[in-house]
Amino acid sequence: MTIDGMHQIGEVAEAVGLSLRTIRHYEEVGVAPPSGRSPGGFRLYTDDDVERLRLAKALKPLDLSLEEMRDLLDTRDRLADPAIKGKARTELVERLAMYAALALERCNLLEEQLTSVREVARTLRNESVTTKK
Amino acid sequence: MTIDGMHQIGEVAEAVGLSLRTIRHYEEVGVAPPSGRSPGGFRLYTDDDVERLRLAKALKPLDLSLEEMRDLLDTRDRLADPAIKGKARTELVERLAMYAALALERCNLLEEQLTSVREVARTLRNESVTTKK
DNA sequence: GGGACTCTAACGCCGCGTAAGCGTAT
DNA sequence: AATACGCTTACGCGGCGTTAGAGTCC
C-alpha cells in the first residue's frame, strides 16, 4: 500500500484475483480505471476502485461484452449519486433492471450447463470404470 | 435426408443446435468430420457423426480447447473398439478418467460461478427496486 | 431453369496471454 | 546499487461470425 491508502496494481491483482494484464485491459476499455497515477506513472487504485474490480470479476460469468460491463458498472455508480433525479434516474433504474433480468436468464443457462456437464461427467466416469477390468 | 441415411449440414445444424460455421470449423480441426461427401462436395453426416456432434456440444461447458475435445472424443471412440486390448486399452481408459476428473473440477467451478452470479443478480434486482420510487 | 442449399477462402473480432525493452520504487 | 515492481507497445491466438462469390441439388 502506498501513501494515502492507494494500492498499486500487483497488490490489487492479488486481492481481487485478476491478472495484471486483465486489470490493465480493463482500464483501456474503461471497465475499471484507476483513480490516479504515481509521479512515475504507476497506476494507483482506491478502495472503491478495487471494489469495482471485484464486481467486474463477479460479473464475468454473465458473459457480457466488456462494453456492456462498463455500462452496467457506470449505471450503478451513477445511480449512487443522489443528485440525479427524475427522468434521468428512472432511465438508469430501468437499465439496471434490464441487466438484472439478463443476469437471471444467464443463471438459467448456467444451470442447464451444469446439469448437462454433470451428466457428461458421470458418463465419462462410467465409461472409464466399466471398461476398466 | 439424402440417400442412404446421410444428412447434410443444414439438417444436422438444426438437429444439434450448432451453427453451420461451427460445424464446418469442427471438421477443420478434426472434432467432428463428416463420414462422406456428395459427388458435388456437400458434407454428408451419418447418424453416428451427428451423435458425435451432439456430444461435442454437450462438452462445450467443459471449456476444453477443441484439440482436447477431439482427443476426448477419439479416445472414447477407440475404447468402443473391442479389438484394442491390454496396455493400449489401459492407457485409453486412464486418459478418459483424466477427462472425467477434469469434468468434475469444472462442475465445481460452474457451481461457484452460479452462486456468484445469483448473488449478483439479486444485488442488481435489489438496487433497481430499492431505488425505484 | 429456378430456388434453396452448400461450398471455399478470407478477413474480423474479443479478451486477453505473452514477450521485449525500459523506467520506477525503496 | 541491487532488487522488485511497474510501464508501454505490439504481436499472437482460439473459436468462431460474417461477408463474398461461385457451385450443387432436384
Side-chain angles (χ1 to χ4, degrees):
Chain A
M1 174 150 77
T2 325
I3 234 157
D4 208 23
M6 306 283 277
H7 312 278
Q8 57 186 69
I9 196 171
E11 199 184 342
V12 173
E14 177 73 13
V16 175
L18 292 172
S19 75
L20 301 189
R21 182 57 171 101
T22 299
I23 295 182
R24 291 188 187 118
H25 187 58
Y26 282 8
E27 173 181 13
E28 260 190 45
V29 298
V31 163
S35 292
R37 293 268 182 156
S38 82
F42 283 21
R43 270 163 266 252
L44 293 177
Y45 294 87
T46 67
D47 289 352
D48 279 5
D49 293 344
V50 174
E51 253 327 287
R52 182 149 166 153
L53 272 169
R54 261 190 231 292
L55 200 54
K57 191 193 175 185
L59 287 174
K60 281 182 92 175
L62 285 189
D63 243 33
L64 304 178
S65 72
L66 292 187
E67 197 175 326
E68 289 171 312
M69 274 204 36
R70 176 168 58 74
D71 185 46
L72 198 173
L73 293 170
D74 282 354
T75 305
R76 238 180 66 98
D77 284 2
R78 294 174 61 198
L79 260 182
D81 174 1
I84 297 186
K85 285 283 180 190
K87 208 170 62 179
R89 186 170 199 83
T90 312
E91 229 180 78
L92 292 179
V93 168
E94 272 168 23
R95 187 177 296 205
L96 206 56
M98 253 196 37
Y99 284 116
L102 208 155
L104 283 187
E105 270 187 58
R106 179 67 185 156
C107 279
N108 295 338
L109 213 162
L110 275 178
E111 278 186 48
E112 279 182 42
Q113 290 194 340
L114 187 52
T115 56
S116 144
V117 80
R118 275 215 182 96
E119 210 184 297
V120 171
R122 272 199 356 179
T123 305
L124 292 182
R125 253 277 169 265
N126 274 353
E127 291 179 350
S128 72
V129 163
T130 305
T131 325
K132 202 166 197 174
K133 39 174 179 185
Chain B
M1 172 149 80
T2 326
I3 234 161
D4 205 24
M6 307 282 279
H7 314 278
Q8 57 188 68
I9 195 168
E11 200 185 338
V12 173
E14 177 73 14
V16 174
L18 291 172
S19 75
L20 301 190
R21 181 60 172 98
T22 298
I23 296 183
R24 291 189 186 119
H25 188 58
Y26 281 9
E27 173 181 14
E28 261 189 43
V29 298
V31 163
S35 293
R37 292 270 182 156
S38 82
F42 284 22
R43 271 162 265 250
L44 294 178
Y45 294 85
T46 67
D47 288 352
D48 280 5
D49 293 344
V50 175
E51 254 324 289
R52 181 150 167 151
L53 272 169
R54 262 191 231 290
L55 201 54
K57 189 191 176 188
L59 287 174
K60 281 181 93 173
L62 285 189
D63 243 36
L64 304 178
S65 71
L66 293 188
E67 198 175 323
E68 290 171 311
M69 274 203 38
R70 176 169 57 75
D71 184 47
L72 198 173
L73 293 171
D74 283 354
T75 304
R76 240 180 64 98
D77 283 2
R78 296 175 59 198
L79 261 182
D81 174 0
I84 296 187
K85 285 283 181 186
K87 210 169 64 179
R89 189 171 199 82
T90 312
E91 229 180 79
L92 292 179
V93 168
E94 272 168 24
R95 189 178 294 204
L96 207 58
M98 253 195 37
Y99 284 116
L102 209 155
L104 284 187
E105 270 186 60
R106 180 66 184 157
C107 279
N108 296 338
L109 213 163
L110 277 179
E111 279 187 48
E112 279 181 44
Q113 290 194 339
L114 187 52
T115 55
S116 144
V117 81
R118 274 214 182 97
E119 208 185 297
V120 170
R122 274 196 356 181
T123 306
L124 292 182
R125 252 277 167 267
N126 273 353
E127 290 179 352
S128 72
V129 163
T130 304
T131 326
K132 200 167 200 171
K133 39 178 179 181

